[in-house]
Amino acid sequence: MTKSKTWTAALLIIGDEILSGRTEDKNIAQVALWLNDQGIRLVEVRVVPDIEERIVSGLNALRSSHDYCFTTGGIGPTHDDITVDAVAKAFGVKVVVHPTARAILEDYYRDRPGGLTDARMRMARTPEGAELIANAASRAPGIRVGNVFILAGVPHIAAAMLDALDGTLEGGRKMLSLTIGARAPESDVADLLRQTEADHPGCAIGSYPFFKDGGYGSNFVIRSEDEALARDCGDVLKDRLRGHGFEPVEGGI
Amino acid sequence: MTKSKTWTAALLIIGDEILSGRTEDKNIAQVALWLNDQGIRLVEVRVVPDIEERIVSGLNALRSSHDYCFTTGGIGPTHDDITVDAVAKAFGVKVVVHPTARAILEDYYRDRPGGLTDARMRMARTPEGAELIANAASRAPGIRVGNVFILAGVPHIAAAMLDALDGTLEGGRKMLSLTIGARAPESDVADLLRQTEADHPGCAIGSYPFFKDGGYGSNFVIRSEDEALARDCGDVLKDRLRGHGFEPVEGGI
C-alpha cells in the first residue's frame, strides 16, 4: 500500500434550529457517509447560529484548512436565509443574480400561484463567480464557490444536491470499516483492543458500548484504507475475543 | 424588560463515530434543550476526531469564548478514550486519579467479574483540580474543570450527568419559543415574516418549510426571552397569515 494524499472536508451547519434543540441534525451523518464514498474524510463539523459574522468566521476557518468545505442551511427564500450573503462576504465578492438559477426558478414558478416573487428570487442569488449544484428534489439550486459547497438544510434536498455532485470531486481511498460485536463489556477487553490496534499499523479500532436485551456488549469498528489489513486485524480480534470467552459477531450486534 | 447578561455555552463533540457517519448524533439537541432550561444559550458546536491536538485546540477556542463549554465522548475505559488527557493538556495540568472517582468504581466493581481492572481504573482519572459529576446511569462520573463539563458520549449517560447538574449553573432568562404552522409555502409569506419580525424587536422568527400529506407548509418559530413579546408577535403573525388566506395552527404542523 502506497501512502497517498488524504483528502479532507469540513461541514459548517448554519442553523438556529439545531442550536436551540428544536431540530435534530440529520446532515452530519449523511454528508459524512457520502464524503467517504468519494474518498474524502469529514474531519471537522461546526454548528453556528444564523448570524452573519459567525458564519463568515466559521467558514473562513474551515475552508482554509480543508480541501473542501460544505455548508448546510440558510438558502431558502425567507429573511433568516443569509448563507449566500455570508459566503460572499467571506470570499470578498459581490452577491449577484445567477442567470441560470434565475431561469430555473422562472421555469419552476411560471405556472405556480404568485409566480417568481421577490422572495423566491432570493434563491437565484449567488456569490459572484459561483457555479450551481443541481437540485432534483425542489429545483432551487445549491452553489459552489471555490472549495465551498452550499447545500440546503432540509435533509432530503441536501441529499439531492449530493447526488448531483457524486463522482465530481477529487478524492483518494475510501475508509473501509469492519464491525465486530461481542457480548463483552468494553472494560473487559480494553487491553486486548489496545494490543490488537498496536499490532496493526494502518488500522484504527473504535469501541462502542451498548446495553441491549438486558446485557452489556460492545461493537468494535476497525477502520482502514486497506481492505486486507482491515480483514487481518478483524481475524486477530475475533481470535482474541474467543480466547477471552466472548463469541465475536460479524457485522456487529 | 431589562436587558440582562446572556449566558452562553459551546459543545465539543469528540467522536470519530460521528465524523464517519456511523453514529447519528443525539447529544446536540439534548444538551441544547437542557441548557435552555438553565437559562443558557448553546451558540456553537464543534465535532472533532479522537486526536489529542484537535481536541485541545477545539476546547481552548470554545472555553475561552463562552461562559461554559461542554464535551461529550471519549471518557470510557478503552484506548480511544483520550478526552481526560486532552482536557488536562488544554488546561496545562496533570492527570491524576481522583480519590472519590476511585471509590465509586471500587464500590461498583467489587462484586463484578474481574473487579477494578487497570482499564476500568482509567475512568477514575481526571485533570488535577477537577470536581466530579454524578452519573446515576452507569456510575463512572463526569468531570468538571473550571468552566468545562466533561460528559459521556452515550446519550442516556450524558442525560444522567445533565440531570446531576440541573440547577447548579448560573444562567439568565430562558429563551421561549412559540410555534405557528400554516399550509403556506414559505416563499408565499416571506415578506410578511420579515415585516412581523421587524415590527417586534426582541423576537426572532425562524421559518422551517416541510412537505407533508402531499402539500407544502411551514412552521414559524418565534423566539424571545419575553413571554408577552412572543405572544404579541404570535398574535400579529396569525392575523397576517389569515389576511393572506392561510389558517394558522398553534403549536405547528
Side-chain angles (χ1 to χ4, degrees):
Chain A
M1 168 187 177
T2 54
K3 181 72 189 163
S4 54
K5 171 177 162 68
T6 298
W7 294 78
T8 64
L11 171 62
L12 183 69
I13 295 176
I14 297 157
D16 285 351
E17 72 281 17
I18 305 292
L19 291 171
S20 72
R22 177 186 180 273
T23 302
E24 236 175 44
D25 169 72
K26 304 281 178 197
N27 283 321
I28 298 176
Q30 84 166 350
V31 169
L33 294 170
W34 181 87
L35 282 169
N36 192 43
D37 277 345
Q38 319 298 312
I40 300 164
R41 301 279 173 283
L42 180 63
V43 295
E44 182 166 351
V45 179
R46 296 192 191 183
V47 189
V48 295
D50 301 343
I51 297 173
E52 189 175 86
E53 67 199 61
R54 303 294 302 267
I55 302 170
V56 171
S57 64
L59 186 76
N60 278 336
L62 294 177
R63 74 187 176 98
S64 61
S65 50
H66 301 88
D67 294 310
Y68 304 108
C69 179
F70 287 72
T71 74
T72 58
I75 61 167
T78 56
H79 64 283
D80 54 339
D81 291 308
I82 60 171
T83 299
V84 166
D85 304 82
V87 172
K89 187 169 247 187
F91 277 88
V93 301
K94 284 189 302 182
V95 174
V96 298
V97 171
H98 193 292
T100 313
R102 183 193 186 117
I104 290 168
L105 295 174
E106 279 172 347
D107 182 55
Y108 184 71
Y109 285 110
R110 183 166 297 122
D111 300 324
R112 285 183 160 73
L116 186 52
T117 59
D118 285 353
R120 288 164 175 168
M121 266 296 287
R122 277 178 69 77
M123 297 187 287
R125 298 162 74 245
T126 70
E128 192 162 37
E131 296 163 42
L132 303 183
I133 302 168
N135 165 10
S138 60
R139 301 298 302 280
I143 300 163
R144 175 182 184 158
V145 206
N147 67 338
V148 173
F149 298 78
I150 304 172
L151 309 181
V154 177
H156 81 273
I157 303 178
M161 294 173 177
L162 291 173
D163 281 350
L165 290 171
D166 213 30
T168 66
L169 304 188
E170 193 169 4
R173 284 164 171 257
K174 289 187 199 185
M175 183 64 82
L176 304 170
S177 74
L178 189 70
T179 302
I180 292 165
R183 290 279 172 189
E186 61 173 0
S187 60
D188 280 9
V189 293
D191 292 340
L192 173 170
L193 292 174
R194 181 194 304 272
Q195 190 57 50
T196 306
E197 185 181 80
D199 291 345
H200 295 85
C203 293
I205 307 180
S207 172
Y208 305 104
F210 62 78
F211 185 84
K212 208 180 205 165
D213 308 331
Y216 288 97
S218 310
N219 284 309
F220 310 112
V221 179
I222 299 165
R223 307 183 78 232
S224 176
E225 292 183 1
D226 187 294
E227 191 173 349
L229 268 185
R231 272 184 211 285
D232 183 46
C233 181
D235 289 342
V236 170
L237 179 58
K238 285 186 283 183
D239 282 349
R240 289 179 179 172
L241 285 168
R242 282 195 198 94
H244 280 67
F246 299 111
E247 188 53 33
V249 180
E250 288 267 5
I253 295 172
Chain B
M1 171 187 175
T2 54
K3 182 72 189 163
S4 54
K5 171 177 164 66
T6 298
W7 293 78
T8 65
L11 170 62
L12 183 70
I13 295 176
I14 298 156
D16 285 350
E17 73 280 17
I18 305 292
L19 290 170
S20 71
R22 176 185 181 273
T23 302
E24 235 176 45
D25 169 72
K26 302 283 178 197
N27 283 322
I28 298 176
Q30 82 167 349
V31 170
L33 294 170
W34 181 87
L35 282 169
N36 192 43
D37 278 344
Q38 319 298 312
I40 300 163
R41 302 279 173 283
L42 180 63
V43 295
E44 182 165 352
V45 178
R46 296 192 190 182
V47 189
V48 295
D50 301 343
I51 297 173
E52 188 176 86
E53 68 200 60
R54 303 294 301 267
I55 302 171
V56 171
S57 64
L59 187 76
N60 278 335
L62 294 176
R63 74 186 175 97
S64 62
S65 50
H66 300 88
D67 294 311
Y68 304 107
C69 180
F70 287 72
T71 75
T72 59
I75 60 167
T78 57
H79 64 284
D80 54 340
D81 292 308
I82 60 171
T83 299
V84 166
D85 303 84
V87 173
K89 188 170 247 184
F91 277 87
V93 301
K94 286 189 301 183
V95 173
V96 299
V97 171
H98 193 291
T100 313
R102 182 192 185 117
I104 290 169
L105 295 174
E106 280 174 346
D107 181 54
Y108 183 73
Y109 285 110
R110 183 166 296 123
D111 300 325
R112 285 182 159 73
L116 185 53
T117 58
D118 285 352
R120 289 165 175 170
M121 265 296 287
R122 277 177 69 76
M123 297 187 286
R125 297 162 74 247
T126 71
E128 192 162 37
E131 296 163 42
L132 303 182
I133 302 168
N135 165 9
S138 60
R139 301 298 304 278
I143 299 165
R144 173 182 187 160
V145 207
N147 67 338
V148 174
F149 298 78
I150 304 172
L151 310 181
V154 177
H156 80 272
I157 303 178
M161 293 173 179
L162 292 174
D163 281 348
L165 289 171
D166 212 30
T168 66
L169 304 187
E170 194 169 1
R173 283 165 172 255
K174 289 187 200 186
M175 183 64 82
L176 304 170
S177 75
L178 190 70
T179 302
I180 294 166
R183 290 280 173 188
E186 60 173 1
S187 60
D188 281 8
V189 293
D191 293 340
L192 172 170
L193 292 174
R194 182 194 303 273
Q195 190 58 50
T196 306
E197 186 181 81
D199 291 343
H200 295 86
C203 292
I205 307 180
S207 172
Y208 306 105
F210 62 77
F211 185 84
K212 208 180 204 164
D213 307 332
Y216 289 97
S218 309
N219 285 309
F220 310 112
V221 178
I222 299 165
R223 307 182 79 231
S224 176
E225 292 183 2
D226 187 294
E227 193 174 346
L229 268 185
R231 271 184 211 286
D232 182 46
C233 181
D235 289 344
V236 170
L237 179 59
K238 285 186 285 184
D239 282 350
R240 290 178 178 173
L241 285 168
R242 282 195 197 96
H244 280 67
F246 299 111
E247 187 53 33
V249 179
E250 287 267 6
I253 295 172

